[in-house]
Amino acid sequence: MKTSPLICHRGASALAPENTMEAFELARQQGQHWLEMDVCMSADGEAVIFHDDILRRCTDGSGWLVNNSLAELQQLDAGSWFSPQYAGARIPTLIEVLEWAAISGMCLNLEIKPVLGREYETASAISRALEWAFEHTPLATRQLLFSSFNPLSLALAQQHHKDIERAWLTDAIAADALERIKPLECEGLHFCAELVDPAAIAKLKSSGLQVRCFTVNSAIQAQELFELGVDAIFSDFPTLLDHPAD
Ligand code: G3P
Ligand code: MG
């Protein structure tokens, strides 16, 4: 699938606390259509949006996220660490974000980030949220793209929601990337900007894959990647491509 050339990484995460509704809504207000966000699971099996395994960096809590129930997670302040202006921002549930996407028309790259060993439970939590949203809202599969560093999570996504496209997430592009991607029927590959490999990008592009690159916060770097054939970048700055290369 074609995304927009800029995908807001964890929402407008340079301007608002990452992976919160505030960061997602700000990206929308700044004219963006595609957001990336990290999906994990609470102790009681609810899919929630958060990047780290540990709560400390982005909330006033501590310890492992996966050891907390949804009710406990929703008590946490996920905004003050970023700025007092965002005090009281909460960890969103996947259902909440899907409802918002259904109403706003925003498109979501759901990066599946299970705690290792909880891949099956995380896949089930995500499926429950999606099934609820498809039944109760006008959310369309074309608004969604799965990705994961975890091949089992991609395989489970393929099994549960074959009609939602998938992308393989990696740091460096492996020499056998095409062979690895094939059984998972991925439409694309997302790789780390610092590990750019022009020949590998050319090979993926000639196979018809979408190639997207994280995390790019320089307009010059974005331009160089586009010239190599990269289809989209993930950026913390929603308006990065609106200005001439800096
Ligand atoms: O999905 C692209 C990027 O978000 C992957 O790395 O650690 O920022 O989730 P990370
Ligand atoms: Mg991510």
Side-chain angles (χ1 to χ4, degrees):
M1 82 168 38
K2 265 242 162 305
T3 64
S4 38
L6 186 143
I7 301 172
C8 295
H9 183 238
R10 312 180 194 172
S13 60
L15 312 172
E18 65 181 56
N19 282 328
T20 62
M21 290 309 303
E22 286 78 354
F24 303 149
E25 179 56 25
L26 187 56
R28 189 191 68 78
Q29 285 168 10
Q30 298 221 341
Q32 292 303 322
H33 300 290
W34 271 91
L35 308 176
E36 185 262 6
M37 60 193 63
D38 305 291
V39 188
C40 51
M41 190 193 66
S42 68
D44 50 349
E46 288 293 332
V48 294
I49 311 299
F50 202 74
H51 179 271
D52 300 356
D53 286 337
I54 303 295
L55 291 165
R56 189 180 52 209
R57 184 177 63 90
C58 293
T59 73
D60 57 350
S62 62
W64 286 68
L65 178 142
V66 74
N67 285 338
N68 290 266
S69 66
L70 178 62
E72 287 165 337
L73 293 173
Q74 290 190 320
Q75 300 296 315
L76 300 177
D77 177 349
S80 291
W81 68 275
F82 186 86
S83 145
Q85 180 196 343
Y86 287 107
R90 300 285 165 222
I91 295 176
T93 61
L94 177 57
I95 284 188
E96 194 181 338
V97 177
L98 295 174
E99 270 190 290
W100 173 80
I103 293 162
S104 64
M106 292 293 282
C107 296
L108 312 178
N109 172 201
L110 302 175
E111 183 194 334
I112 309 169
K113 260 200 193 329
V115 165
L116 295 182
R118 295 273 168 85
E119 289 89 349
Y120 287 91
E121 294 88 340
T122 306
S124 298
I126 292 171
S127 271
R128 281 195 296 277
L130 284 169
E131 276 157 22
W132 184 91
F134 288 134
E135 194 180 331
H136 294 96
T137 77
L139 185 73
T141 54
R142 64 175 162 71
Q143 287 174 261
L144 301 173
L145 170 65
F146 281 127
S147 63
S148 188
F149 285 105
N150 185 304
L152 176 54
S153 292
L154 286 176
L156 292 168
Q158 179 187 28
Q159 205 176 302
H160 291 281
H161 298 284
K162 204 172 171 52
D163 48 343
I164 298 176
E165 296 205 44
R166 291 167 298 285
W168 178 279
L169 189 43
T170 183
D171 284 329
I173 305 173
D176 62 348
L178 283 172
E179 290 71 40
R180 293 201 213 178
I181 287 171
K182 209 171 175 191
L184 294 168
E185 300 173 305
C186 288
E187 59 86 62
L189 179 142
H190 300 172
F191 75 98
C192 173
E194 309 311 315
L195 299 170
V196 62
D197 176 345
I201 293 170
K203 192 170 159 194
L204 294 169
K205 287 307 303 168
S206 67
S207 299
L209 288 171
Q210 292 290 301
V211 179
R212 309 185 183 97
C213 187
F214 61 90
T215 303
V216 181
N217 288 329
S218 143
I220 291 174
Q221 189 184 20
Q223 197 49 46
E224 288 168 358
L225 289 162
F226 291 140
E227 282 165 17
L228 291 176
V230 166
D231 295 286
I233 54 151
F234 296 87
S235 182
D236 301 328
F237 291 89
T239 58
L240 187 79
L241 303 180
D242 296 357
H243 310 291
D246 49 26

